Amino acid sequence: MRRQAPGSSNLQPWEFVILKSEAAKEQGEKVCLDQTAAKRAPLLIAIVAHTDTWRRNRDLIMATFTKRGTLRKRQGTYYRKLIPLVYTNGPLGVLGWWKHLVGPVGSLFRPVPNMMPRHDTRVMVHKSAALAAATFMLALRAEGYDSCPMEGFDPWRAKKLLNLPRGAEVCMFLAVGKRSDKGVWWDRILVPREWVVREL
Ligand SMILES: Cc1cc2nc3c(=O)[nH]c(=O)nc-3n(C[C@H](O)[C@H](O)[C@H](O)COP(=O)(O)O)c2cc1C
């Protein structure tokens, strides 16, 4: 499996959990509320979004650049100073509340980046995880396979089944297999272009 997909700061805050054993697949189907796609597909994969793997991944990225002798000063500052500020919210989330206030107030005076209070950190990692899922879905198509993304699942049972730590959540499940004519339930009706594309 190639593991290349766009991801925020290249921190790859995702994990693909393959429900390989029969028992895990069966439990996965239940967690996916016995949806047809989950039951009919031979393979189920959970795409997990992590808010707490940034330190490990950042350290590996920086160590690799350092070993290669290609770590630039700006890059070091970015990963050492900005990234911890973005991903951490301090004891009892105090820093998170500060970030929650300082962003909108600062923005009244000049453009400021989102410093990511807790709920925005979750959005951030889910964006990257969803893009990784979409990239994987396209790669599957290129290899002649098909997939169905599913957000119709029980998130609490999913977390338990996959044994996820506190900072992790299932972004979606992917049912993977070969397409069946019966698998498409109805035509894809597109809403008008002007509802979804806007020019300023
Ligand atoms: C985030 C996301 C969640 C989805 N959840 C489900 C789901 O739980 N069950 C399902 O059968 N399809 C699910 N779908 C598939 C959509 O219903 C489907 O992509 C959409 O209706 C367009 O149809 P098409 O992709 O077959 O053209 C999901 C798609 C996305 C992107």
Side-chain angles (χ1 to χ4, degrees):
M1 190 197 268
R2 283 174 69 95
R3 291 172 288 109
Q4 289 178 7
S8 185
S9 300
N10 190 31
L11 284 170
Q12 302 154 64
W14 53 68
E15 186 185 16
F16 284 50
V17 185
I18 304 164
L19 305 187
K20 215 167 172 184
S21 72
E22 219 169 280
K25 166 79 168 38
E26 228 168 74
Q27 283 174 289
E29 290 168 12
K30 286 204 186 93
V31 163
C32 291
L33 314 172
D34 280 327
Q35 290 200 54
T36 314
K39 286 185 93 70
R40 293 261 174 90
L43 187 62
L44 259 188
I45 301 179
I47 315 296
V48 179
H50 283 274
T51 57
D52 291 336
T53 53
W54 63 271
R55 198 185 296 273
R56 176 197 69 187
N57 297 4
R58 178 218 43 192
D59 288 351
L60 180 111
I61 290 167
M62 284 188 64
T64 308
F65 277 123
T66 306
K67 207 159 87 188
R68 289 179 186 171
T70 55
L71 184 72
R72 285 191 244 131
K73 198 166 166 248
R74 271 183 65 190
Q75 209 176 357
T77 312
Y78 182 82
Y79 277 125
R80 253 186 238 113
K81 297 211 169 122
L82 188 71
I83 289 299
L85 185 60
V86 161
Y87 272 92
T88 50
N89 288 297
L92 300 173
V94 176
L95 180 59
W97 284 108
W98 176 79
K99 291 198 271 183
H100 190 63
L101 288 174
V102 86
V105 173
S107 171
L108 292 172
F109 304 99
R110 64 186 173 98
V112 292
N114 186 352
M115 295 317 288
M116 304 283 175
R118 170 89 193 137
H119 53 275
D120 287 342
T121 315
R122 287 181 57 224
V123 173
M124 177 170 63
V125 296
H126 275 278
K127 278 184 211 169
S128 291
L131 274 174
T135 305
F136 180 60
M137 290 170 76
L138 290 172
L140 284 170
R141 244 350 261 138
E143 297 287 335
Y145 292 94
D146 298 280
S147 57
C148 178
M150 291 177 292
E151 63 184 345
F153 61 85
D154 177 327
W156 303 278
R157 285 177 185 245
K159 223 171 152 165
K160 201 165 164 215
L161 172 66
L162 307 175
N163 201 13
L164 297 184
R166 217 167 141 250
E169 287 171 358
V170 176
C171 172
M172 66 182 85
F173 280 87
L174 287 184
V176 179
K178 293 260 184 185
R179 72 176 56 187
S180 140
D181 291 340
K182 289 188 211 139
V184 178
W185 292 340
W186 41 64
D187 290 341
R188 179 192 267 180
I189 309 296
L190 296 185
V191 298
R193 185 182 187 276
E194 61 272 21
W195 290 6
V196 292
V197 181
R198 198 153 62 96
E199 288 174 19
L200 283 179

